[in-house]
Amino acid sequence: MGVDLFAGLSGAPLPALGRAPKILVFDSGLGGLTVLSEILAALPNANYVYAADDAAFPYGALDEQRLVTRVLAVMERLVARERPDLVVIACNTAATGALPSLRARFALPFVGTVPAIKPAVRASSSGLVSILATPGTVRREHTRAMIEAFAGDTQVTLVGSPTLAGFAEAELRGEPVNDEAIRAEIAPCFVEQDGRRTDAVALACTHFPLLTMRFELVAPWPVAWIDPAPAIARRVLALVGEANRFGVASPARAVFTAPRATPAVLAAALARRGLASTEQDDFPLT
Ligand code: DGL
């Protein structure tokens, strides 16, 4: 598989639409909010729908075939319902598994999220970096191919956490887990070898930047935490193009696939990120 597949550096900007573009930002849960915030700041004049496939959360636990089937099925519904001009797969687990299938199925521009291996390598002076991701992303052939292509002499430690995305969800729902639980999950990222120490950790799951302040507090030593969201926002801006930046936009909306109530703490967290209303499009995982 070509390693440039997810780089997202090709593709022409959208044609002039004569209105604000509609952008669908997609994740398995609340992690994509870290990406939405960056895109909203870079491009306020767009119509945003944030879609969380929380009925199938966590994606990190699904095998690749099940994941691809699920993401295609949810996207089918979302595209029919929302008619977006551009889709952001704000989920490393979904993008590293399903992006080629999505691009083959839909005639729409897709911007993906892949582990920020290149930026982590650039940020490191010690030559020891870690990639913190879901177990699904760690298993992907594509992740390994990117390391092979971009790590050079830098030693990359891949760390798959089955629980951190859930911890991030709990944090936003006002039920934060304790420091010890977080410390145990990030501990394998910190490597000491021949007098050198890991000095950069790529946050290769969009949920994890929701916990950066918690990570900083429990980390055994300071490192650069690499969040790919600003780079994704720049890519979206380039694809939307100059001609489509100035339309009148409606307030952003959130759509969830699980039929559960939004607690007040979460509603407030969504509102702080520009999402004033939430809807349910019930779609159980079968
Ligand atoms: N936010 C997703 C990612 O970037 C993963 C969370 C999950 O396991 O569903 O990988």
Side-chain angles (χ1 to χ4, degrees):
M1 185 191 293
V3 288
D4 58 346
L5 194 55
F6 301 105
L9 295 174
S10 60
L14 295 176
L17 301 167
R19 57 172 169 77
K22 187 166 191 180
I23 300 178
L24 176 67
V25 179
F26 177 80
D27 183 31
S28 57
L30 303 171
L33 293 173
T34 60
V35 177
L36 176 70
S37 300
E38 289 290 333
I39 304 175
L40 255 169
L43 181 66
N45 294 75
N47 293 300
Y48 290 95
V49 180
Y50 181 79
D53 185 15
D54 54 341
F57 179 87
Y59 274 1
L62 301 183
D63 69 45
E64 197 158 336
Q65 199 185 337
R66 202 144 178 248
L67 174 87
V68 172
T69 305
R70 174 66 184 184
V71 172
L72 284 175
V74 181
M75 197 53 65
E76 200 79 55
R77 287 166 73 96
L78 286 167
V79 167
R81 179 189 151 115
E82 302 292 345
R83 306 260 163 230
D85 298 300
L86 183 145
V87 181
V88 181
I89 304 297
C91 174
N92 292 261
T93 314
T96 54
L99 204 49
S101 308
L102 286 166
R103 287 182 171 146
R105 169 68 191 84
F106 300 96
L108 275 171
F110 281 88
V111 176
T113 317
V114 289
I117 292 163
K118 272 201 274 189
V121 167
R122 268 201 305 271
S124 173
S125 315
S126 71
L128 297 179
V129 309
S130 292
I131 310 293
L132 183 59
T134 67
T137 299
V138 165
R139 278 196 303 269
R140 298 275 183 271
E141 184 45 45
H142 186 74
T143 303
R144 288 162 196 273
M146 285 178 73
I147 292 172
E148 192 119 312
F150 302 129
D153 293 337
T154 300
Q155 185 179 311
V156 178
T157 302
L158 262 175
V159 179
S161 167
T163 52
L164 271 179
F167 291 175
E169 297 262 324
E171 183 96 3
L172 270 199
R173 289 177 188 276
E175 299 150 8
V177 300
N178 63 40
D179 283 351
E180 219 23 75
I182 293 186
R183 189 190 324 245
E185 288 305 300
I186 67 169
C189 293
F190 291 83
V191 177
E192 283 188 287
Q193 196 177 288
D194 308 327
R196 296 176 299 143
R197 286 170 153 186
T198 303
D199 59 357
V201 178
L203 299 173
C205 167
T206 52
H207 278 73
F208 299 169
L210 293 169
L211 295 171
T212 306
M213 285 195 307
R214 306 282 316 271
F215 292 166
E216 281 168 352
L217 282 175
V218 299
W221 59 79
V223 293
W225 300 98
I226 315 282
D227 177 1
I232 300 166
R234 285 195 296 277
R235 179 67 191 137
V236 170
L237 204 57
L239 274 182
V240 162
E242 289 287 343
N244 296 311
R245 285 186 198 172
F246 306 103
V248 178
S250 314
R253 299 153 39 226
V255 181
F256 294 92
T257 59
R260 55 178 170 169
T262 307
V265 179
L266 176 57
L270 293 173
R272 279 198 302 279
R273 288 166 174 80
L275 291 159
S277 68
T278 60
E279 300 155 33
Q280 254 94 37
D281 182 22
D282 187 9
F283 189 40
L285 178 67
T286 49

